[in-house]
């Protein structure tokens, strides 16, 4: 029994240390593509994806991975509007702690944002 408990704790600890995957982030935010390109109001599935991203990226490694992924995706999308992307969290009412921008310095931002505490 003790061996089983130890094994379960090791599996849980291993998964908590893994950073979020870019494929997971793009899946969450795929419904936001029309908003990012065209503006207006983000569709409800987009805001739900943003909430899922927030829940899936609680720590620094996750935020760093998410920031880099979002930056790469933003630069790969034709017609990507940086202003729309920057307004997305506010329009959805979700503070993710990760910028969605073509030009953000993810190393600097993630370190700086860890010392900022935003209350809802």
């Amino acid at each position: 029994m003790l061996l089983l408990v130890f094994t379960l704790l090791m599996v849980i600890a291993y998964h908590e240390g893994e950073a979020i995957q870019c494929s997971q982030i793009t899946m969450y935010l795929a419904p936001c593509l029309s908003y990012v390109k065209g503006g207006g109001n983000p569709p409800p599935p987009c805001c739900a994806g943003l909430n899922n991203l927030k829940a899936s990226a609680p720590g620094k490694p996750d935020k760093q991975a998410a920031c880099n992924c979002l930056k790469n995706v933003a630069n790969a999308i034709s017609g990507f509007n940086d202003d729309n992307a920057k307004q997305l969290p506010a329009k959805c009412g979700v503070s993710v702690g990760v910028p969605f921008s073509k030009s953000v310095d993810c190393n600097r931002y993630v370190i700086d944002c860890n010392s900022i505490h935003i209350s809802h």
Side-chain angles (χ1 to χ4, degrees), residues 75-97:
N75 282 301
I77 295 173
S78 176
F80 181 91
N81 184 307
D82 223 29
D83 290 332
N84 290 344
K86 289 176 185 175
Q87 294 172 15
L88 181 60
K91 286 206 171 191
C92 286
V94 179
S95 177
V96 180

Side-chain angles (χ1 to χ4, degrees), residues 39-82:
N41 290 316
C46 169
C47 293
L50 208 55
N51 274 309
N52 287 335
L53 174 58
K54 179 180 180 174
S56 298
K60 182 179 174 182
D62 298 307
K63 287 186 183 352
Q64 183 104 39
C67 181
N68 284 310
C69 173
L70 292 171
K71 182 178 179 179
N72 291 336
V73 168
N75 282 301
I77 295 173
S78 176
F80 181 91
N81 184 307
D82 223 29

